[in-house]
Amino acid sequence: MCGIVGFLARTPSLRNSLGTQVVPMLTCMGDRGPDSAGLAVFTEPLPEGSRKFSLFAPSRTYDWAALQQRFRDDLGTPFQFTAVENHARLTAEIEAKRVKGWLRERAPELHLLSVGRAIEMFKDEGHPREIADRLGFAQMTGTHAVGHTRMATESAVTPAHAHPFTAGEDFCLVHNGSLSNPYSVRRKLERLGVRFETDNDTEAACRFLEWRMREGDTLEQSIEKGFEELDGFYTLLMATADKLLLVRDAFACKPAVVAETDDYVAISSEFRALAHLPGIKDARLFEPVPEQIYSWPV
Amino acid sequence: MARVIEFDLSRRSVRELNQYLHHELPAGEQRVEILNPNGMHSLAVGLDAPIDVEIRGHAGYFIAGMNKQASVTVHGNVGWSVAENIMSGTVRVKGCASECAGASGHGGLLVIEEDASSRCGISMKGCDIVVGGSVGHMSAFMAQAGTLVVCGDAGPSLGDSLYEATIYVGGRIASLGADAQEEPMTKADFDRVASLLKQAGIERDPKSFKRVASKRSLYHWHADAEQEY
């Protein structure tokens, strides 16, 4: 089991209260996935050239001040920085490649969770409620968010194995289900130079889709190819800077329910995670059908 | 007439509800209204008394599972496996049902007034299911006995590996599963459909229904059958 949640706010007031809407969803789905959780929050994109880097440290008492000093000394680029415990966000007008290289060299203990003009990412081991409290999910604002609660069945329980997974920029994916051919997908991609960070099956799906997009496919075309390539059970919820996207495999053994109103689109594994949302009684509720791509623009 | 007892799930737990319905319902009280179900699971499961239970709102998984005698109505949608293993009585969903509605049901009647999702009536063993709308893929998979009436359309692989259950479909069938075949409707079939529609309170002309039953070719193992296993 695992739980997935997604929320796309269509009004300024819901964007300002994005975290307040999402936290009860994530906490409720803690029943389906109590061992780790994660949340990707998308905001209005930064200007071209600027990027947000979400960082994860191995310790909750990591010396972020020292890291900032090193960054300032080494790169001399102006930047903004905020940190909560073992998570931090660095914002700067800088190429992703430069930051990645610098992190490898100067802060190899850090894990780069996400890069993009819109995405910010948080994930950790522990109960979703506890993680949401610690990292202040309820205060987060933005256009849309994708969350996951994990009950591991196929690889280790570590922060790096928690969802969402990301590849490239401003793209993330969460998965309820299990793939039966992640290693063959992975071998195929590794031969093409794609690098993996974990042995998690979802990472294979994430990197497969991102590889297809780099090859020129749209996300929708990548998913069509994924229907052929990815074997197993999955409900996949994905987000880019400009949309939220949902698919279920041909057997559709892994649940999902969608609630849509003029004000928002909310997605969860179970309805009870949506029951608190404003106007839910009048929302259009439906269960996504197998192998159909559902997408909602921001 | 017995009074209506209200049970508010915003103030009391599901465990308390089921305990109440099983053991604490005062004699003669026959009607319970469950308020604020908010998608919660396992409401009104394992009932074994001739009582009426009304669930006011959307409910979660396994609603009215193992039902005996009772009449349970959900004024909303339900999640997976509503009325799974129903033995007798009636379970009615005024909205839509998610997957595996009526799974393994032995007896009684399950009515879904709108659509049911995939695997509706999976492995049903004698219950009757009437769906006012459409059903998803692999409905009545391995269904052994009983009747599934679908007023709307049926998704792919209807009646895959069907045993002795009978399926009637009013709309289009996307595809039949292995060993399922369409058969001519007899008078007994029309009467059966008419009777079940009447019990379900759904108005539809039985004449529009098609009958699907087992070819029975999978009943015996053919080791030499094309050798494609």
Side-chain angles (χ1 to χ4, degrees):
Chain A
M1 220 155 33
C2 281
I4 60 165
V5 300
F7 193 88
L8 188 148
R10 288 171 165 161
T11 65
S13 79
L14 284 173
R15 287 178 177 187
N16 289 332
S17 65
L18 188 76
T20 322
Q21 312 304 330
V22 170
V23 166
M25 296 169 73
L26 200 67
T27 303
C28 177
M29 287 297 93
D31 292 358
R32 296 181 64 93
D35 66 38
S36 351
L39 185 71
V41 177
F42 290 76
T43 60
E44 293 283 359
L46 297 174
E48 195 84 47
S50 294
R51 287 181 175 80
K52 293 187 275 191
F53 299 84
S54 294
L55 305 172
F56 179 87
S59 152
R60 292 187 198 174
T61 54
Y62 186 79
D63 190 351
W64 293 111
L67 180 92
Q68 290 179 66
Q69 192 56 51
R70 278 210 299 282
F71 188 87
R72 200 173 287 121
D73 294 346
D74 293 352
L75 296 174
T77 311
F79 65 93
Q80 292 163 311
F81 198 91
T82 54
V84 186
E85 291 195 349
N86 51 356
H87 283 73
R89 181 187 70 222
L90 186 151
T91 309
E93 197 178 326
I94 192 168
E95 278 180 38
K97 209 165 60 183
R98 264 187 90 196
V99 174
K100 284 180 184 172
W102 181 81
L103 284 169
R104 256 198 309 277
E105 191 89 350
R106 300 282 281 152
E109 69 282 5
L110 293 183
H111 181 56
L112 180 60
L113 295 178
S114 69
V115 184
R117 290 165 55 204
I119 192 172
E120 288 168 38
M121 172 101 70
F122 309 84
K123 60 185 192 178
D124 208 345
E125 209 179 310
H127 194 278
R129 183 188 298 107
E130 178 246 338
I131 294 168
D133 283 351
R134 267 180 41 218
L135 301 177
F137 287 175
Q139 284 78 50
M140 288 176 187
T141 59
T143 50
H144 54 303
V146 162
H148 187 266
T149 63
R150 182 167 186 242
M151 184 185 283
T153 53
E154 52 66 59
S155 58
V157 178
T158 75
H161 285 81
H163 304 214
F165 279 90
T166 180
E169 296 193 22
D170 282 325
F171 170 62
C172 78
L173 171 153
V174 295
H175 172 207
N176 175 200
S178 56
L179 298 181
S180 45
N181 67 340
Y183 286 96
S184 59
V185 172
R186 183 187 175 120
R187 278 193 297 273
K188 179 177 170 173
L189 294 175
E190 279 174 338
R191 277 199 292 273
L192 298 165
V194 175
R195 289 226 307 253
F196 280 73
E197 288 172 0
T198 71
D199 57 347
N200 184 287
D201 60 342
T202 305
E203 189 181 351
C206 186
R207 296 209 182 272
F208 174 82
L209 296 174
E210 195 268 337
W211 165 66
R212 285 311 321 157
M213 287 191 280
R214 266 190 291 118
E215 293 293 306
D217 285 347
T218 62
L219 179 53
E220 286 81 354
Q221 290 165 333
S222 308
I223 292 166
E224 293 288 352
K225 294 203 170 78
F227 288 143
E228 300 300 316
E229 197 79 25
L230 303 171
D231 188 15
F233 300 125
Y234 51 85
T235 293
L236 297 175
L237 176 61
M238 290 152 275
T240 59
D242 58 358
K243 71 181 129 183
L244 204 56
L245 223 131
L246 178 71
V247 287
R248 299 172 81 203
D249 71 89
F251 291 96
C253 295
K254 296 298 172 184
V257 57
V258 180
E260 195 168 0
T261 74
D262 289 346
D263 295 346
Y264 62 82
V265 179
I267 297 155
S268 177
S269 301
E270 299 177 22
F271 172 77
R272 68 196 167 106
L274 309 176
H276 66 283
L277 291 172
I280 190 72
K281 282 192 173 67
D282 302 315
R284 187 171 80 90
L285 291 173
F286 66 94
E287 186 180 88
V289 301
E291 290 200 327
Q292 184 167 322
I293 301 173
Y294 295 86
S295 111
W296 297 273
V298 171
Chain B
M1 198 178 144
R3 70 197 163 106
V4 177
I5 296 171
E6 287 188 350
F7 203 103
D8 189 345
L9 287 172
S10 65
R11 290 187 289 122
R12 299 169 78 182
S13 72
V14 172
R15 181 171 293 221
E16 283 175 302
L17 166 70
N18 286 324
Q19 178 127 348
Y20 179 80
L21 294 173
H22 293 172
H23 305 295
E24 296 161 20
L25 192 64
E29 300 295 352
Q30 289 166 340
R31 201 174 151 139
V32 178
E33 298 245 340
I34 300 173
L35 308 178
N36 296 307
N38 288 338
M40 285 183 222
H41 304 322
S42 304
L43 306 181
V45 294
L47 301 186
D48 189 4
I51 56 172
D52 284 331
V53 176
E54 310 274 331
I55 300 176
R56 298 279 172 193
H58 301 313
Y61 293 6
F62 311 118
I63 302 307
M66 301 173 282
N67 189 64
K68 268 187 186 168
Q69 304 188 68
S71 167
V72 179
T73 301
V74 182
H75 297 264
N77 302 328
V78 291
W80 286 39
S81 302
V82 61
E84 53 88 24
N85 261 298
I86 180 174
M87 304 302 285
S88 65
T90 304
V91 176
R92 178 180 292 273
V93 178
K94 305 288 256 183
C96 295
S98 183
E99 305 196 11
C100 302
S104 301
H106 287 252
L109 175 67
L110 167 63
V111 180
I112 316 282
E113 295 192 356
E114 294 183 26
D115 296 333
S117 173
S118 54
R119 292 172 275 268
C120 176
I122 182 173
S123 193
M124 52 194 278
K125 296 178 171 71
C127 67
D128 294 318
I129 303 176
V130 180
V131 179
S134 299
V135 294
H137 64 276
M138 298 209 80
S139 285
F141 176 51
M142 295 186 82
Q144 290 138 61
T147 312
L148 170 63
V149 177
V150 180
C151 297
D153 302 333
S157 298
L158 177 70
D160 193 279
S161 308
L162 194 58
Y163 290 84
E164 292 301 298
T166 312
I167 308 168
Y168 299 103
V169 181
R172 284 173 305 150
I173 298 171
S175 69
L176 292 171
D179 215 30
Q181 66 181 356
E182 212 178 303
E183 295 178 348
M185 291 283 284
T186 64
K187 179 169 185 310
D189 291 311
F190 287 120
D191 290 349
R192 180 91 187 114
V193 173
S195 159
L196 282 168
L197 288 172
K198 193 171 173 214
Q199 286 178 60
I202 291 173
E203 279 188 33
R204 199 63 54 98
D205 184 1
K207 285 201 190 71
S208 63
F209 283 79
K210 296 180 271 288
R211 174 189 158 99
V212 173
S214 177
K215 266 190 246 177
R216 299 175 179 166
S217 62
L218 290 177
Y219 276 34
H220 304 287
W221 172 254
H222 297 294
D224 56 354
E226 314 222 7
Q227 293 295 330
E228 281 180 356
Y229 304 112

